[in-house]
Amino acid sequence: MEKDIDIDGMTIHYEESGPEGGIPVLLMHGWGCDHTTVRSIASILSPSMRVINVDLPGHGKSSEPPGVWGVEDFTSLMEKMVVILDMKRPVLIGHSFGGRIAILMSSRKDVGKVVLVDAAGIKPRRSFKYYWKVYTFKAGKNILLSLFGKEKGGKMVEKWRSKKGSADYRNSSPIMRAVMSRCVNEDLKHVMPDIKSSTLLVWGENDTATPLSDAKTMEKLIPDAGLVAFPGCGHYSFLDNPFGFKAVLKEFLKTELR
């Protein structure tokens, strides 16, 4: 069932499925997606668990953040949602960006098990090519603004940025672009040792957005973590190998699924 909830003046959209008395699950999608992207995960669990599949702020039918939010802001909002919906020790499942929220929340809240699917949370290693691209853009931006002024130069900068930026960046609104830039540069390695819950890491071996090396780092830092990597799969491993993912998830949550 599709529902809306008001939290701090923001409309948060979510889909609830499963029995009301089932063990609660908070399911969080990745950047540029919405709850429909991870609906297949909800369908695995909903026969016996209460699944809250949320549109994160700025995605799907949920309101955009009122400012340039960081991971802390997203996490704080989800913590409030858990309380409002009376989700006692929820299982947290986060894909990509949703994994950032699951990592931070589970490091400081009493939650059930944690499932991180191709999760973000480790600041990417930057190549010389990346820094060359960034500083070239900054220099070009200053030149265009100086030569053509704020209005005309600003339009030229945005046109240039839209051609050079990632697909996620190009498809985001100005506020969400700023949010994305801030969140991508947040490193959560320092909170991972504080995660006390059993944690399952599910990865695609060919993931280029959050590489397998990130998963191996998380496995070392999170005290009770285990990693399953699927050959031939990318950043959406749960879609690339749905049968393997279902088997692994059900085995990890076999106690909760009874």
Side-chain angles (χ1 to χ4, degrees), residues 208-230:
T208 56
T210 52
L212 186 58
S213 58
D214 286 3
K216 292 178 179 178
T217 298
M218 292 181 188
E219 186 181 24
K220 291 178 181 177
L221 293 175
I222 299 172
D224 184 11
L227 170 63
V228 176
F230 294 134

Side-chain angles (χ1 to χ4, degrees), residues 3 37 46 51 55 86 91 113 118 145 163 203 222-223 237-238 247:
K3 298 181 179 181
T37 308
S46 58
V51 183
D55 280 348
D86 193 28
V91 171
K113 292 177 179 177
D118 302 293
L145 292 176
K163 290 182 178 179
W203 240 259
I222 299 172
S237 60
F238 64 100

Side-chain angles (χ1 to χ4, degrees), residues 15 23 51 59 80 82 88 103 111 118 146 154 162 178 191 200 203 205 207 235 237:
E15 184 175 60
I23 293 175
V51 183
H59 297 78
K80 292 176 182 178
V82 164
K88 301 285 196 307
I103 289 168
V111 302
D118 302 293
S146 297
S162 68
V191 304
L200 171 66
W203 240 259
E205 288 188 358
D207 190 341
H235 189 55
S237 60

Side-chain angles (χ1 to χ4, degrees), residues 166-185:
S166 69
D168 281 344
Y169 190 90
R170 290 195 303 271
N171 295 331
S172 297
S173 68
I175 186 71
M176 292 305 288
R177 289 176 185 175
V179 170
M180 180 182 178
S181 295
R182 178 178 176 183
C183 290
V184 164
N185 286 298

Side-chain angles (χ1 to χ4, degrees), residues 98-195:
R100 289 183 180 274
I101 301 170
I103 289 168
L104 186 54
M105 189 187 299
S106 60
S107 74
R108 66 193 192 190
K109 295 293 181 179
D110 183 22
V111 302
K113 292 177 179 177
V114 180
V115 183
L116 302 176
V117 187
D118 302 293
I122 293 177
K123 187 174 180 179
R125 296 189 184 120
R126 305 302 194 183
S127 64
F128 173 77
K129 183 179 179 181
Y130 168 84
Y131 286 109
W132 175 262
K133 179 180 177 181
V134 168
Y135 289 114
T136 299
F137 175 79
K138 287 183 177 180
K141 174 183 175 181
N142 291 332
I143 292 171
L144 288 172
L145 292 176
S146 297
L147 289 176
F148 299 101
K150 186 176 181 180
E151 185 175 348
K152 186 177 180 180
K155 291 180 180 178
M156 295 171 74
V157 168
E158 280 306 307
K159 187 175 180 180
W160 183 16
R161 195 200 306 268
S162 68
K163 290 182 178 179
K164 297 296 185 182
S166 69
D168 281 344
Y169 190 90
R170 290 195 303 271
N171 295 331
S172 297
S173 68
I175 186 71
M176 292 305 288
R177 289 176 185 175
V179 170
M180 180 182 178
S181 295
R182 178 178 176 183
C183 290
V184 164
N185 286 298
E186 292 189 40
D187 198 322
L188 299 176
K189 289 199 298 290
H190 64 289
V191 304
M192 293 177 188
D194 296 327
I195 298 175

